[in-house]
Short mmCIF file of all heavy atoms in Angstrom, two decimals:
data_model
loop_
_atom_site.label_atom_id
_atom_site.label_comp_id
_atom_site.label_asym_id
_atom_site.label_seq_id
_atom_site.Cartn_x
_atom_site.Cartn_y
_atom_site.Cartn_z
N LYS P 113 165.58 -34.35 -90.07
CA LYS P 113 166.51 -33.35 -89.52
C LYS P 113 165.87 -31.96 -89.56
O LYS P 113 166.17 -31.11 -88.72
CB LYS P 113 167.85 -33.37 -90.23
CG LYS P 113 168.58 -34.65 -90.12
CD LYS P 113 168.57 -35.27 -88.77
CE LYS P 113 169.21 -34.40 -87.68
NZ LYS P 113 169.15 -35.01 -86.34
N SER P 114 165.02 -31.71 -90.54
CA SER P 114 164.30 -30.43 -90.58
C SER P 114 163.38 -30.33 -89.37
O SER P 114 163.23 -29.23 -88.79
CB SER P 114 163.50 -30.31 -91.89
OG SER P 114 162.70 -29.18 -91.85
N VAL P 115 162.73 -31.43 -89.02
CA VAL P 115 161.86 -31.44 -87.83
C VAL P 115 162.69 -31.12 -86.54
O VAL P 115 162.23 -30.34 -85.70
CB VAL P 115 161.19 -32.83 -87.64
CG1 VAL P 115 160.52 -32.99 -86.32
CG2 VAL P 115 160.19 -33.09 -88.79
N SER P 116 163.87 -31.64 -86.46
CA SER P 116 164.73 -31.35 -85.31
C SER P 116 165.11 -29.87 -85.28
O SER P 116 165.03 -29.20 -84.26
CB SER P 116 165.99 -32.22 -85.33
OG SER P 116 165.68 -33.57 -85.15
N MET P 117 165.50 -29.36 -86.45
CA MET P 117 165.86 -27.93 -86.51
C MET P 117 164.71 -27.00 -86.20
O MET P 117 164.85 -26.03 -85.47
CB MET P 117 166.40 -27.63 -87.95
CG MET P 117 167.07 -26.30 -88.09
SD MET P 117 167.78 -26.03 -89.72
CE MET P 117 169.07 -27.28 -89.72
N ALA P 118 163.54 -27.29 -86.74
CA ALA P 118 162.34 -26.49 -86.47
C ALA P 118 161.92 -26.61 -84.99
O ALA P 118 161.46 -25.63 -84.38
CB ALA P 118 161.20 -26.90 -87.36
N SER P 119 162.08 -27.81 -84.41
CA SER P 119 161.74 -27.99 -82.99
C SER P 119 162.63 -27.15 -82.09
O SER P 119 162.17 -26.56 -81.08
CB SER P 119 161.83 -29.47 -82.62
OG SER P 119 160.87 -30.26 -83.36
N LEU P 120 163.94 -27.11 -82.41
CA LEU P 120 164.83 -26.26 -81.65
C LEU P 120 164.45 -24.82 -81.71
O LEU P 120 164.55 -24.06 -80.74
CB LEU P 120 166.28 -26.48 -82.19
CG LEU P 120 166.90 -27.83 -81.84
CD1 LEU P 120 168.22 -27.97 -82.58
CD2 LEU P 120 167.11 -28.01 -80.33
N ALA P 121 164.04 -24.38 -82.90
CA ALA P 121 163.59 -22.96 -83.03
C ALA P 121 162.34 -22.72 -82.19
O ALA P 121 162.20 -21.70 -81.56
CB ALA P 121 163.36 -22.64 -84.51
N CYS P 122 161.39 -23.67 -82.22
CA CYS P 122 160.20 -23.53 -81.40
C CYS P 122 160.48 -23.55 -79.89
O CYS P 122 159.82 -22.80 -79.13
CB CYS P 122 159.18 -24.64 -81.76
SG CYS P 122 158.47 -24.46 -83.38
N ILE P 123 161.45 -24.35 -79.48
CA ILE P 123 161.84 -24.36 -78.10
C ILE P 123 162.35 -23.02 -77.65
O ILE P 123 162.05 -22.53 -76.57
CB ILE P 123 162.89 -25.47 -77.85
CG1 ILE P 123 162.25 -26.87 -77.89
CG2 ILE P 123 163.58 -25.26 -76.50
CD1 ILE P 123 163.25 -28.00 -77.85
N SER P 124 163.19 -22.39 -78.48
CA SER P 124 163.73 -21.07 -78.19
C SER P 124 162.58 -20.03 -78.09
O SER P 124 162.62 -19.13 -77.21
CB SER P 124 164.75 -20.67 -79.20
OG SER P 124 164.21 -20.48 -80.49
N ILE P 125 161.60 -20.15 -79.00
CA ILE P 125 160.44 -19.21 -78.93
C ILE P 125 159.64 -19.44 -77.67
O ILE P 125 159.23 -18.49 -76.99
CB ILE P 125 159.59 -19.40 -80.16
CG1 ILE P 125 160.30 -18.97 -81.45
CG2 ILE P 125 158.28 -18.60 -80.01
CD1 ILE P 125 159.59 -19.28 -82.72
N ASP P 126 159.46 -20.69 -77.31
CA ASP P 126 158.72 -21.05 -76.09
C ASP P 126 159.40 -20.45 -74.86
O ASP P 126 158.73 -19.88 -74.00
CB ASP P 126 158.61 -22.55 -75.96
CG ASP P 126 157.96 -22.97 -74.62
OD1 ASP P 126 156.70 -22.98 -74.57
OD2 ASP P 126 158.72 -23.30 -73.69
N ARG P 127 160.71 -20.60 -74.75
CA ARG P 127 161.43 -20.03 -73.58
C ARG P 127 161.41 -18.51 -73.61
O ARG P 127 161.40 -17.89 -72.59
CB ARG P 127 162.88 -20.55 -73.54
CG ARG P 127 163.04 -22.00 -73.30
CD ARG P 127 162.52 -22.41 -71.91
NE ARG P 127 161.10 -22.68 -71.92
CZ ARG P 127 160.33 -22.67 -70.82
NH1 ARG P 127 160.83 -22.36 -69.64
NH2 ARG P 127 159.07 -22.96 -70.91
N TYR P 128 161.47 -17.95 -74.79
CA TYR P 128 161.39 -16.45 -74.92
C TYR P 128 160.08 -15.95 -74.42
O TYR P 128 160.02 -14.95 -73.68
CB TYR P 128 161.60 -16.06 -76.36
CG TYR P 128 161.57 -14.61 -76.60
CD1 TYR P 128 162.64 -13.75 -76.24
CD2 TYR P 128 160.47 -14.01 -77.23
CE1 TYR P 128 162.59 -12.41 -76.52
CE2 TYR P 128 160.41 -12.66 -77.47
CZ TYR P 128 161.48 -11.83 -77.11
OH TYR P 128 161.44 -10.49 -77.32
N ILE P 129 158.99 -16.60 -74.76
CA ILE P 129 157.67 -16.19 -74.31
C ILE P 129 157.58 -16.35 -72.80
O ILE P 129 156.99 -15.54 -72.09
CB ILE P 129 156.55 -16.99 -75.04
CG1 ILE P 129 156.55 -16.67 -76.50
CG2 ILE P 129 155.20 -16.66 -74.45
CD1 ILE P 129 155.60 -17.50 -77.31
N ALA P 130 158.13 -17.50 -72.26
CA ALA P 130 158.04 -17.79 -70.86
C ALA P 130 158.75 -16.67 -70.04
O ALA P 130 158.32 -16.35 -68.90
CB ALA P 130 158.64 -19.13 -70.55
N ILE P 131 159.80 -16.14 -70.54
CA ILE P 131 160.58 -15.12 -69.80
C ILE P 131 160.04 -13.70 -70.04
O ILE P 131 159.97 -12.89 -69.09
CB ILE P 131 162.09 -15.19 -70.21
CG1 ILE P 131 162.67 -16.53 -69.68
CG2 ILE P 131 162.87 -14.02 -69.64
CD1 ILE P 131 164.08 -16.76 -70.02
N THR P 132 159.60 -13.41 -71.25
CA THR P 132 159.16 -12.02 -71.53
C THR P 132 157.69 -11.84 -71.12
O THR P 132 157.31 -10.72 -70.78
CB THR P 132 159.29 -11.74 -73.03
OG1 THR P 132 158.58 -12.70 -73.78
CG2 THR P 132 160.76 -11.74 -73.43
N LYS P 133 156.88 -12.90 -71.11
CA LYS P 133 155.50 -12.77 -70.73
C LYS P 133 155.07 -13.93 -69.77
O LYS P 133 154.23 -14.75 -70.07
CB LYS P 133 154.58 -12.85 -71.97
CG LYS P 133 154.87 -11.72 -73.00
CD LYS P 133 153.89 -11.82 -74.20
CE LYS P 133 154.19 -10.66 -75.15
NZ LYS P 133 153.27 -10.74 -76.34
N PRO P 134 155.62 -13.87 -68.60
CA PRO P 134 155.37 -14.95 -67.61
C PRO P 134 153.93 -15.02 -67.08
O PRO P 134 153.42 -16.08 -66.79
CB PRO P 134 156.33 -14.66 -66.46
CG PRO P 134 156.63 -13.18 -66.56
CD PRO P 134 156.53 -12.87 -68.03
N LEU P 135 153.27 -13.87 -67.02
CA LEU P 135 151.89 -13.79 -66.48
C LEU P 135 150.85 -14.38 -67.47
O LEU P 135 149.90 -14.91 -67.06
CB LEU P 135 151.55 -12.37 -66.09
CG LEU P 135 152.40 -11.73 -65.02
CD1 LEU P 135 151.97 -10.29 -64.73
CD2 LEU P 135 152.36 -12.52 -63.70
N THR P 136 151.09 -14.21 -68.72
CA THR P 136 150.18 -14.67 -69.76
C THR P 136 150.63 -15.94 -70.47
O THR P 136 150.03 -16.38 -71.42
CB THR P 136 149.89 -13.56 -70.76
OG1 THR P 136 151.13 -13.17 -71.41
CG2 THR P 136 149.26 -12.32 -70.13
N TYR P 137 151.75 -16.48 -69.93
CA TYR P 137 152.36 -17.62 -70.67
C TYR P 137 151.40 -18.83 -70.76
O TYR P 137 151.24 -19.44 -71.82
CB TYR P 137 153.64 -18.02 -69.96
CG TYR P 137 154.26 -19.30 -70.55
CD1 TYR P 137 155.00 -19.28 -71.72
CD2 TYR P 137 154.12 -20.54 -69.90
CE1 TYR P 137 155.59 -20.42 -72.26
CE2 TYR P 137 154.66 -21.68 -70.43
CZ TYR P 137 155.42 -21.62 -71.60
OH TYR P 137 155.96 -22.76 -72.08
N ASN P 138 150.77 -19.14 -69.63
CA ASN P 138 149.85 -20.33 -69.63
C ASN P 138 148.66 -20.19 -70.54
O ASN P 138 148.09 -21.22 -71.01
CB ASN P 138 149.39 -20.60 -68.16
CG ASN P 138 150.56 -21.09 -67.30
OD1 ASN P 138 151.45 -21.75 -67.79
ND2 ASN P 138 150.48 -20.81 -66.02
N THR P 139 148.21 -18.98 -70.77
CA THR P 139 147.10 -18.73 -71.67
C THR P 139 147.54 -18.73 -73.15
O THR P 139 146.77 -19.11 -74.06
CB THR P 139 146.39 -17.43 -71.34
OG1 THR P 139 147.34 -16.35 -71.40
CG2 THR P 139 145.78 -17.48 -69.95
N LEU P 140 148.82 -18.29 -73.37
CA LEU P 140 149.32 -18.25 -74.75
C LEU P 140 149.81 -19.64 -75.22
O LEU P 140 149.55 -20.00 -76.35
CB LEU P 140 150.48 -17.25 -74.80
CG LEU P 140 150.11 -15.75 -74.65
CD1 LEU P 140 151.43 -14.94 -74.61
CD2 LEU P 140 149.24 -15.30 -75.79
N VAL P 141 150.45 -20.35 -74.31
CA VAL P 141 151.02 -21.66 -74.72
C VAL P 141 150.22 -22.73 -74.03
O VAL P 141 150.36 -23.00 -72.84
CB VAL P 141 152.51 -21.74 -74.27
CG1 VAL P 141 153.10 -23.04 -74.71
CG2 VAL P 141 153.33 -20.60 -74.88
#
Side-chain angles (χ1 to χ4, degrees):
K113 298 317 297 179
S114 173
V115 169
S116 295
M117 190 176 294
S119 297
L120 289 171
C122 289
I123 287 174
S124 66
I125 294 173
D126 175 81
R127 291 298 87 198
Y128 179 76
I129 296 173
I131 292 177
T132 56
K133 299 181 179 180
L135 299 179
T136 59
Y137 175 79
N138 290 330
T139 58
L140 292 173
V141 182

